[in-house]
Amino acid sequence: MSFFSMRGIHVGWVSIMLALIASMGGFIFGYDTGQISDIVLMKDFLLRFATCTTPDNCAFSAVREGLIVSLLSIGTLVGALFGAPVADWLGRRYAMTTECGVFIIGVIVQMTSTHVWQQFAVGRFISGLGVGALSAAVPMYQAETAPPQIRGTLTATYQLFITFGILVAYGISIGARSIGQSGSWRTVVGIGILWALILGIGIVFMPESPRKVLLHCFIWLAAHGRMDEAQVSLAVSRGIPASEAYKHHFIRHEADGIKENVEYEKHVKGGWVECFKPKGKILYRTLLGMSLQSLQQLTGANYFFYYGATIFSSVGLSDPFVTQIILGAVNFVCTFGGMYVMERFGRRMPLICGGVWQSAWLFVFASAGTAVDPVTHAGIGKLMIVAACMFILGYAMTWAPGVWILIGETFPTRTRAKQASLSTAANWLWNFLIAFFTPFIGNAISFKYGYVFAGCNLLGAVVAYFFLYESSGLTLEEVNMMYTDPNCKPWTSRQWAPPGYSSRRDFIEKERSDEPNNITGAMIEDARA
């Protein structure tokens, strides 16, 4: 059943449901990110795991707090690297179910901690293995199954659910802090099991990635000509009954494009070494993906999400938990705008403009906190909160969803899983470095830390302008063609169109008109050349 049509493409309930269910991986990511900021301030948690001189005077050392917060990121770094072979071996869906099981084990280890902070930290590491693998598998699965005309929107639901998870974690934390003894933090941690069960069970009922199915068909079943399974998978994800999978030209067109691309790529090795070979701009795209994911962390967003309660405590707020709720709400609501922005304005311009906007507000945040003591000047503290909210507004509408969309659609089929893993691992590496070293840096330079992130945002805008190609509106196979076209440059890529079309607009208009064409083979041949 089709919900609606967009640019000549049917969008069915399966497309919507697989995007939403798979995005629970982002929700788990966000929930785990958001909860720790408040947990480390809960009284019972401090009594059990911090250093106490009296029951009312407990505090974490910078090393202990950094490890408790950041060991999740080390786990996600390792999990992201393992996410690729697991997703290729088990398929995208069953890999996600397995990874949810790993996450649940980590949650149980955390919940059973009593007075040994190292056990809690190890539990976060184990949970991180699952979260990291999911962060590689989910955007890839969404990009491979989404119609190209709304791929940005559907893939952006991953980031939307990250923000929703952060907001829910803040809300649950503020409600659970009044629970007696260990029930406060154990409730917050334990609820994470529910989110993993929703994803782990729900994803089994969704279709496998049609590109993954085709890859298996070519590797194992090409001799028997079994292409029907992949074409039916495409049709079902577009809201078209399986019995009509062969009646729609756009299904045949996309399936033929995938088929010829995979047929070509079956002669190319897809190991880890291939990710670093310059032919076909594979190395270029690996480095680009890793750079974008690193720069997403270096925007400074997790400076607020991990340590927001501590930061706003230091500006004199009596209840920093409430400010965390405000930041989380701004992040969540503005991500809806981000879904529109990334679909309406493409990928390049939002990242360029977002980098400049975020940098400007971080300069305001850092300058205000450095010039005047916010504890003694309430107006400065309020200005810093406004600056943080404006920064989050820009981040939620540009860099937050944009990078995850690009990781799903930038790489060729054969190496997509591994390149996505490498890119996501880079994200988690910087996630760890920021989480671990922020207490030390914050103690040393206080709010001047904002200047560092401001500079990184400007760097991100420069990288997006000079190296990122505009991939909106194209199928994944056409994106691969664009990157390998020697006549196309990043700053001219918005006008690029596949052979047979005069411009990107002409290409989109003809796709909307639902007119059949027979240029797929020629397109692939040009890409090979």
Side-chain angles (χ1 to χ4, degrees):
M1 177 181 177
S2 176
F3 269 1
F4 59 90
S5 293
M6 184 174 183
R7 303 177 190 173
I9 297 295
H10 290 264
V11 179
W13 69 270
V14 175
S15 293
I16 306 300
M17 287 303 298
L18 70 84
L20 293 178
I21 292 177
S23 291
M24 284 302 298
F27 186 93
I28 294 168
F29 174 2
Y31 187 81
D32 241 31
T33 297
Q35 68 179 4
I36 196 62
S37 176
D38 292 337
I39 284 176
V40 295
L41 296 181
M42 290 180 176
K43 184 175 180 180
D44 184 81
F45 193 82
L46 287 165
L47 283 170
R48 289 173 182 272
F49 302 118
T51 301
C52 301
T53 54
T54 67
D56 294 322
N57 187 18
C58 299
F60 286 106
S61 67
V63 173
R64 187 176 301 186
E65 183 178 15
L67 285 173
I68 289 174
V69 173
S70 66
L71 266 180
L72 173 79
S73 304
I74 291 295
T76 51
L77 170 60
V78 177
L81 292 174
F82 278 102
V86 172
D88 280 341
W89 179 44
L90 295 178
R92 310 319 191 210
R93 297 176 304 152
Y94 292 115
M96 284 186 254
T97 298
T98 302
E99 289 148 10
C100 286
V102 174
F103 174 81
I104 290 173
I105 292 171
V107 170
I108 293 172
V109 172
Q110 293 173 69
M111 291 178 65
T112 55
S113 304
T114 54
H115 293 89
V116 180
W117 69 268
Q118 292 92 336
Q119 179 180 338
F120 188 88
V122 168
R124 280 179 61 78
F125 172 82
I126 296 171
S127 291
L129 294 174
V131 173
L134 286 170
S135 67
V138 171
M140 179 171 57
Y141 174 73
Q142 289 176 318
E144 289 179 342
T145 53
Q149 287 74 10
I150 58 168
R151 185 176 60 240
T153 298
L154 294 185
T155 308
T157 58
Y158 180 73
Q159 175 62 29
L160 177 67
F161 271 59
I162 291 177
T163 64
F164 188 36
I166 292 172
L167 179 59
V168 169
Y170 290 161
I172 291 176
S173 296
I174 203 170
R177 62 181 175 172
S178 60
I179 298 176
Q181 298 181 336
S182 66
S184 55
W185 58 271
R186 283 195 169 118
T187 297
V188 179
V189 174
I191 287 175
I193 293 175
L194 175 62
W195 319 134
L197 289 175
I198 292 173
L199 173 58
I201 296 173
I203 198 66
V204 174
F205 297 95
M206 294 294 103
E208 181 57 273
S209 160
R211 286 168 173 82
K212 181 64 181 171
V213 172
L214 270 169
L215 189 59
H216 285 316
C217 285
F218 271 98
I219 293 175
W220 296 327
L221 305 171
H224 300 86
R226 285 184 55 184
M227 293 299 301
D228 55 328
E229 185 181 354
Q231 192 154 323
V232 167
S233 180
L234 267 177
V236 170
S237 69
R238 304 295 188 266
I240 298 172
S243 59
E244 299 181 17
Y246 300 94
K247 299 180 181 179
H248 293 263
H249 97 270
F250 51 83
I251 295 295
R252 295 196 305 272
H253 173 69
E254 189 171 357
D256 287 345
I258 300 170
K259 172 184 174 181
E260 295 203 29
N261 190 63
V262 173
E263 186 174 39
Y264 167 66
E265 289 189 345
K266 74 178 181 178
H267 301 294
V268 181
K269 293 181 180 180
W272 290 99
V273 175
E274 300 303 312
C275 298
F276 298 96
K277 291 189 175 181
K279 184 179 180 181
K281 281 199 172 177
I282 301 297
L283 173 61
Y284 180 101
R285 285 182 271 180
T286 298
L287 296 177
L288 176 63
M290 294 176 71
S291 298
L292 290 173
Q293 284 280 29
S294 299
L295 287 164
Q296 189 198 55
Q297 282 298 318
L298 288 168
T299 58
N302 278 345
Y303 170 57
F304 295 104
F305 295 142
Y306 280 142
Y307 294 101
T310 303
I311 293 167
F312 292 115
S313 219
S314 66
V315 302
L317 293 177
S318 58
D319 194 350
F321 285 68
V322 174
T323 306
Q324 284 287 83
I325 291 284
I326 295 172
L327 282 182
V330 170
N331 191 28
F332 175 62
V333 172
C334 291
T335 302
F336 284 99
M339 296 170 72
Y340 170 78
V341 166
M342 300 307 296
E343 205 66 71
R344 173 67 178 80
F345 299 102
R347 318 299 190 236
R348 279 172 47 82
M349 285 309 299
L351 263 62
I352 295 169
C353 295
V356 175
W357 171 276
Q358 291 151 206
S359 178
W361 286 106
L362 283 168
F363 271 114
V364 172
F365 176 87
S367 299
T370 301
V372 180
D373 185 357
V375 176
T376 58
H377 293 75
I380 291 295
K382 291 176 182 177
L383 174 61
M384 293 176 70
I385 294 172
V386 170
C389 287
M390 296 303 286
F391 162 79
I392 294 296
L393 181 150
Y395 174 77
M397 295 183 71
T398 58
W399 275 82
V403 171
W404 292 110
I405 293 170
L406 288 163
I407 292 308
E409 66 187 21
T410 300
F411 310 123
T413 303
R414 194 72 178 184
T415 54
R416 180 174 296 126
K418 294 178 176 63
Q419 286 175 293
S421 287
L422 289 167
S423 300
T424 308
N427 181 297
W428 289 115
L429 174 61
W430 282 102
N431 189 307
F432 163 74
L433 292 173
I434 291 169
F436 182 75
F437 286 108
T438 287
F440 301 96
I441 298 173
N443 290 338
I445 63 174
S446 189
F447 297 113
K448 292 179 183 177
Y449 199 13
Y451 291 129
V452 176
F453 293 123
C456 291
N457 277 278
L458 289 179
L459 175 61
V462 171
V463 169
Y465 180 82
F466 285 104
F467 299 101
L468 179 63
Y469 286 69
E470 181 54 66
S471 52
S472 61
L474 302 174
T475 68
L476 300 186
E477 289 67 41
E478 289 157 353
V479 171
N480 188 47
M481 291 173 57
M482 176 179 63
Y483 269 94
T484 55
D485 185 345
N487 298 317
C488 181
K489 305 299 180 186
W491 46 90
T492 65
S493 60
R494 189 174 183 83
Q495 287 75 47
W496 184 91
Y501 299 96
S502 60
S503 66
R504 181 77 62 94
R505 180 179 293 275
D506 176 51
F507 167 71
I508 292 174
E509 289 299 325
K510 287 185 178 179
E511 287 297 300
R512 283 180 183 174
S513 69
D514 203 21
E515 295 176 357
N517 61 72
N518 298 309
I519 65 169
T520 303
M523 290 162 56
I524 299 296
E525 288 302 320
D526 286 346
R528 292 177 186 175

